[in-house]
Amino acid sequence: MFRSLTRPQLATDVSVSVAFAALMLLFTFVGVLGTGIPSDRVSAIVAVLLLVPFSAAVALRRLSPPVALALAWVGAILQMLAQLPPLPVDIAIFAVLYTCAAYGSNRVFWLGFASSIAGALTITVYLLVPSAMYSITAAGDELTYLLVTGTMLFVASVFGLLLAWTVGALVRVGMRARGNAEAQRRAEARATAEFERNRIARDMHDVVAHSLAVVIAQADGARYAAAADPAAAATSLQTISTTARSALSDVRMLLTQLRHSEGEGPQPTVAELEVLYAQVRAAGLDLRVDVDPSPPGEPPAAVQIAVYRILQEALTNAMRHGAGGTVDVSLSWLADRVEVRVRNPLSPSTVDTTGPMRSGGHGLIGMRERAQLIGGSIEIGPVGSDFVVAATLPVGAPLGGGA
């Protein structure tokens, strides 16, 4: 029934209503009383009193379109009961029809449309009934002329009233379009934020899982070597410290991105793969890397991030679930794609398990998402007694073009 308006909007509507009432009162006294309407006192009083419902309708037209429409009908019925001709104050009807179409509910919207048709018919009948009664008793030719005149009057009335309603309907469509665009923008912003949170979660998993795997491997090595080779134990502890500090720095960077999503942190590149290989070898993994052919230029940033994270997760899984032995890493930077392949031996217990290596844990899901994100493909799973991660990632442009 009532819409929510701000104080400036309410103040504007009340001010417009007061100004409308004052102007219509002036027009009524100067141009209507004694000329356009009968000079008797009752007609003059009714003409002045009509300012009340019509001015109230102008004041309430945005706050409550149905109440304004009802007040407009009350004023029009009083005007016809007093047998008054059209008055300047009737302009309020157009404002009410406009706001019913622009701001009213669906029911009020169609009530405004029905009121336009019914109002046009009422105006036509009201203005022509006296002449029609005369024409029926007078002559058939005059009745024909009256019907033609009535039809034209009805069409003109419908056009005038529906014009105000149609303008309001167009404004309603524009406001809904803006609202839909704003809702779509908010939905896209939420989707972007969700995508960013998922990316950060994948990065967090990659950093923590890889670092903890290195720390665990080094801690086990230090525990076994502590008695026989104290120097090796000290080296292992140094590696643990370095890995933990690096992981802590990465985690802090990711948390900073999570708190301030507009600030993008540095992302890993293929230039940092040697550091990753060094960490894995320091953890005791026998790693053999083959890069053929090597990238002739600067690969796109998205491809570099995907290659780094896929290799990081694959090597982490090799440390956690592998059976030792040599881990083979193959990188082939071709003109239109890069092929990544990691193969590591599996112990029989790991091959038979139904855990993350078979069902797809968070790390494996993350690798698939990273490959699919840039339009690539990846195959993950056991091949005989080995576990193989094989990804093909499109470069999208000649590598010499950069990104």
Side-chain angles (χ1 to χ4, degrees):
M1 181 64 70
F2 292 94
R3 299 174 62 244
S4 177
L5 298 181
T6 62
R7 287 186 177 181
Q9 289 175 324
L10 289 173
T12 299
D13 288 350
V14 172
S15 300
V16 170
S17 175
V18 172
F20 174 80
L23 188 62
M24 292 300 104
L25 183 63
L26 177 63
F27 285 167
T28 300
F29 275 104
V30 173
V32 176
L33 293 181
T35 56
I37 63 174
S39 58
D40 62 279
R41 180 175 298 181
V42 175
S43 297
I45 292 175
V46 173
V48 173
L49 290 179
L50 286 176
L51 294 173
V52 176
F54 283 119
S55 298
V58 172
L60 297 174
R61 70 190 189 280
R62 287 199 297 178
L63 180 64
S64 180
V67 173
L69 183 62
L71 288 173
W73 270 108
V74 169
I77 292 173
L78 290 177
Q79 183 176 349
M80 290 184 290
L81 290 176
Q83 298 183 357
L84 296 175
L87 299 174
V89 75
D90 295 332
I91 297 174
I93 296 175
F94 296 97
V96 171
L97 290 175
Y98 166 83
T99 52
C100 285
Y103 305 109
S105 63
N106 288 335
R107 179 177 297 179
V108 175
F109 176 82
W110 291 111
L111 280 176
F113 176 80
S115 295
S116 300
I117 305 298
L121 182 61
T122 302
I123 291 172
T124 303
V125 173
Y126 174 72
L127 293 179
L128 295 183
V129 160
S131 300
M133 296 299 297
Y134 168 77
S135 298
I136 290 174
T137 59
D141 292 340
E142 292 184 6
L143 180 61
T144 302
Y145 173 78
L146 185 65
L147 291 176
V148 174
T149 303
T151 302
M152 296 176 62
L153 179 59
F154 175 74
V155 171
S157 301
V158 169
F159 178 80
L161 295 176
L162 278 183
L163 179 62
W165 182 88
T166 302
V167 172
L170 293 176
V171 172
R172 181 190 191 94
V173 171
M175 290 188 298
R176 286 193 172 184
R178 288 194 298 270
N180 292 337
E182 178 64 20
Q184 182 178 2
R185 188 193 64 79
R186 289 195 299 266
E188 290 176 352
R190 287 194 297 268
T192 301
E194 182 65 22
F195 171 79
E196 182 66 11
R197 284 193 294 269
N198 290 337
R199 183 190 68 80
I200 293 173
R202 288 193 299 267
D203 286 347
M204 186 79 75
H205 172 272
D206 294 342
V207 169
V208 173
H210 172 73
S211 301
L212 287 180
V214 173
V215 167
I216 292 170
Q218 289 293 322
D220 290 340
R223 180 163 55 89
Y224 291 121
D229 190 355
T235 302
S236 297
L237 292 175
Q238 179 63 35
T239 302
I240 290 174
S241 175
T242 302
T243 303
R245 290 178 186 275
S246 176
L248 180 60
S249 176
D250 289 342
V251 168
R252 284 175 175 172
M253 181 269 293
L254 292 172
L255 291 178
T256 300
Q257 291 185 47
L258 200 59
R259 289 193 298 267
H260 309 284
S261 58
E262 68 277 6
E264 291 290 341
Q267 294 295 324
T269 63
V270 293
E272 300 176 38
L273 287 176
E274 292 300 329
V275 178
L276 176 65
Y277 299 151
Q279 291 179 343
V280 173
R281 291 189 178 103
L285 200 65
D286 183 13
L287 185 63
R288 184 168 57 195
V289 180
D290 180 25
V291 180
D292 184 29
S294 59
E298 182 72 12
V303 176
Q304 296 191 55
I305 296 172
V307 168
Y308 184 93
R309 293 305 187 192
I310 289 174
L311 283 175
Q312 184 184 50
E313 180 60 34
L315 294 175
T316 299
N317 286 336
M319 286 189 291
R320 295 172 59 187
H321 305 287
T326 302
V327 177
D328 292 316
V329 174
S330 173
L331 274 176
S332 299
W333 293 92
L334 305 175
D336 59 341
R337 66 189 186 279
V338 55
E339 296 179 353
V340 183
R341 187 178 181 88
V342 179
R343 176 188 292 268
N344 65 275
L346 285 178
S347 62
S349 60
T350 307
V351 174
D352 296 336
T353 186
T354 58
M357 298 298 290
R358 293 291 297 274
S359 62
H362 293 292
L364 304 187
I365 294 174
M367 284 194 287
R368 291 191 179 95
E369 289 179 349
R370 289 186 182 280
Q372 294 171 0
L373 184 63
I374 60 175
S377 61
I378 189 170
E379 295 181 1
I380 306 172
V383 178
S385 60
D386 296 333
F387 190 83
V388 178
V389 175
T392 300
L393 310 176
V395 175
L399 290 176

